[in-house]
């Protein structure tokens, strides 16, 4: 696991490259390496997980230079295959196979990779070419900025590091606030920064010297779907068991994140079949709604895991929010970001560099209430589309518009807050409503809203998060399930519940699903540190100067939350507060404020 960065068809000084690398050294503190030549440069910060003494990047092979972030779980098989074709390897690090694999198969090298990755390949054998490639689920983010005038490209694993290159502006994407409130973080290739894009999942970007980059979306795997519930559950259980076993392999200690829900409890149970495991859960000091610690402890004790209870003091939330926003690089409206940041800090402090999580099960197997509601409404011939989109948002479209000034409302009137092509396929594409929703969730919401959060906030503490439910075989199997095998008879994730039967405690298996999040509605109350922080950030004068949010409308949110607290109002205040913190950290400077301190 690493952080990568670089430039193509540009001139960057060694000192500038060192500065960019320093900005994401938290994600790779074990070694920093660079390769440079006239017109290009590649850099890597390494977090050593496999072959701790090897794995020095960049990798080189006969005019091919590679930097890599991620884990290749089938690297032993790939190495054996390439050895038979005459290649030799100096170490057993997983990423070391990529240059030879590219030399043999060109851009199709990703077809042979099983894992999570963001890869940059610089090929100078003929006309210099830069290749950027991401894994099928988008587990490892990769941001880039293309300058069409200079015909140059810069990239990095994190946005603050990318802004460390000279000349990359921090101008906000105009519709960004509306897009953010419509989906809790921007979906698709566009980030909150006008000049910065993110490489989508399963995508290869090819940039030949002097030409415009060409982006290719690779096809994802498909599989025939089992028709019988028992057989489907058996297949899912066996597939997950295999994937968890692969993801436990490392030369450093591996932990489990156990929220107390079905998904992470199942991963914990399967991991325990391979030997003793350590399980981590986060809760909040005091008495709060939705406390899941007893379920998490139950799941850990059921399989003999060593249980670690992490407690977050709500009084420290304001201090943590700024760090969280910095590492994410753009606002994410989910309060769980703060919990995630604190949880991975505790994992690293306990001596673990790798942690398995249960993320993505809901997207793959149909676990969200909004999916069930859309499925049932569509079956009855009703309008499922508008309520589904409203469920994704911080607050519904009508209430969102009421927060804006007249000028900002007019500026976004004709701009869809979510990618237009995604909305078109969601509403009128091929397949059933549930199949289209699944495609949308996996292709857009999961990478933007969940996976970047997990990646950035785990790597902020030099911890590699591994995600069994994002493994290619598991995703293909889940997508192949018929609608009734995912949602039916009032139940979500039907096949996954079948797969978990007998492996997780009955109390976990039978409990009502609830989101793993911060109880922000209860915590955002007058007199609390979080309330005072929000009031300080969302002042009328500040909002009036920015010209996007109507101060009176925001003040009405505070008044409502003070006397009639509800989830939507609390989340809206949290989201607006997070947005303003992001504005403070990144707007109006050629380089983000606090950049040197954050890199230290």
């Amino acid at each position: 696991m690493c952080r990568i960065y670089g430039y193509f068809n540009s001139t960057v000084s060694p000192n500038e490259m060192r500065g960019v690398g320093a900005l994401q050294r938290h994600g790779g503190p074990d070694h920093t390496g660079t390769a440079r030549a006239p017109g290009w440069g590649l850099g890597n910060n390494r977090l050593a997980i496999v072959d701790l003494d090897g794995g020095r990047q960049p990798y080189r092979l006969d005019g091919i230079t590679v930097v890599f972030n991620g884990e290749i779980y089938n690297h032993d098989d790939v190495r054996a295959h390439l050895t038979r074709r005459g290649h030799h390897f100096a170490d057993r690090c997983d990423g070391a196979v990529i240059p030879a694999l590219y030399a043999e198969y060109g851009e199709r090298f990703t077809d042979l990779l099983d894992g999570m990755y963001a890869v940059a390949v610089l090929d100078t054998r003929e006309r210099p070419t830069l290749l950027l490639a991401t894994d099928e689920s988008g587990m490892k983010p990769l941001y880039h900025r293309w300058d069409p005038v200079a015909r140059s490209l810069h990239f990095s694993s994190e946005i603050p590091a990318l802004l460390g290159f000279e000349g990359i502006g921090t101008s906000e994407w105009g519709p960004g606030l509306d897009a953010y409130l419509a989906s809790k973080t921007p979906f698709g290739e566009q980030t909150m920064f006008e000049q910065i894009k993110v490489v989508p999942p399963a995508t290869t970007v090819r940039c030949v010297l002097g030409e415009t980059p060409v982006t290719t979306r690779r096809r994802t795997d498909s599989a025939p779907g089992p028709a019988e519930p028992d057989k489907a559950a058996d297949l899912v259980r066996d597939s997950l068991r295999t994937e968890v076993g692969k993801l436990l392999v490392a030369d450093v200690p591996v932990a489990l994140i156990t929220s107390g829900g079905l998904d992470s409890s199942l991963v914990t149970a399967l991991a325990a079949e391979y030997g003793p495991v350590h399980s981590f859960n986060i809760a909040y000091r005091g008495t709060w709604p939705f406390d899941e610690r007893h379920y998490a402890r139950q799941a850990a004790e059921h399989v003999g895991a060593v249980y670690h209870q992490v407690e977050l003091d709500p009084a420290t939330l304001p201090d943590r929010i700024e760090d969280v926003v910095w590492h994410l690089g753009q606002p994410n409206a989910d309060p769980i970001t703060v919990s995630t940041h604190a949880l991975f800090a505790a994992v690293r402090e306990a001596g673990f560099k790798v942690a398995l999580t249960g993320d993505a099960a809901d997207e793959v197997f149909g676990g969200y209430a909004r999916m069930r509601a859309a499925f049932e409404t569509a079956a009855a011939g009703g309008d499922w589309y508008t309520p589904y989109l409203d469920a994704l948002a911080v607050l519904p479209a009508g209430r969102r518009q009421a927060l804006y000034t007249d000028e900002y409302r007019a500026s976004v009137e004709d701009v869809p807050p979510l990618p237009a092509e995604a909305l078109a396929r969601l509403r009128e594409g091929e397949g059933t409503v549930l199949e289209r929703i699944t495609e949308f969730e996996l292709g857009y919401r999961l990478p933007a809203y969940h996976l970047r959060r997990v990646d950035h906030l785990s790597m902020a503490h030099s911890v590699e998060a591994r995600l069994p439910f994002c493994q290619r075989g598991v995703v293909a199997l889940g997508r192949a399930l018929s609608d009734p095998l995912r949602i039916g008879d009032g139940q979500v994730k039907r096949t996954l519940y079948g797969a978990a039967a007998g492996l997780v405690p009955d109390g976990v298996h039978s409990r009502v699903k609830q989101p793993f999040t911060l109880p922000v509605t209860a915590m955002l109350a007058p007199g609390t540190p979080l309330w005072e922080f929000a009031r300080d950030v969302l002042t009328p004068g500040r909002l009036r100067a920015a010209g996007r949010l109507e101060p009176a409308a925001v003040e009405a949110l505070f008044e409502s939350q003070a006397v009639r607290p509800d989830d939507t109002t609390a989340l809206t205040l949290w989201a607006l507060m997070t947005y303003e913190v992001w504005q403070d950290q990144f707007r109006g400077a050629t380089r983000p404020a606090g950049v040197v301190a954050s890199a230290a």
Side-chain angles (χ1 to χ4, degrees), residues 16 22 32 38 211 335 354 377 415 451:
E16 192 175 331
T32 297
E211 298 180 5
V354 176
T377 301
V415 182
L451 299 185

Side-chain angles (χ1 to χ4, degrees), residues 39 97 101 132 151 159 253 258 352 361 407 454 515 537 550 585 592:
V97 304
L101 198 61
L132 305 177
R151 308 190 82 74
I159 286 176
T258 310
F352 294 90
E407 293 78 9
V454 172
V537 169
E550 184 58 55
Q585 292 189 347

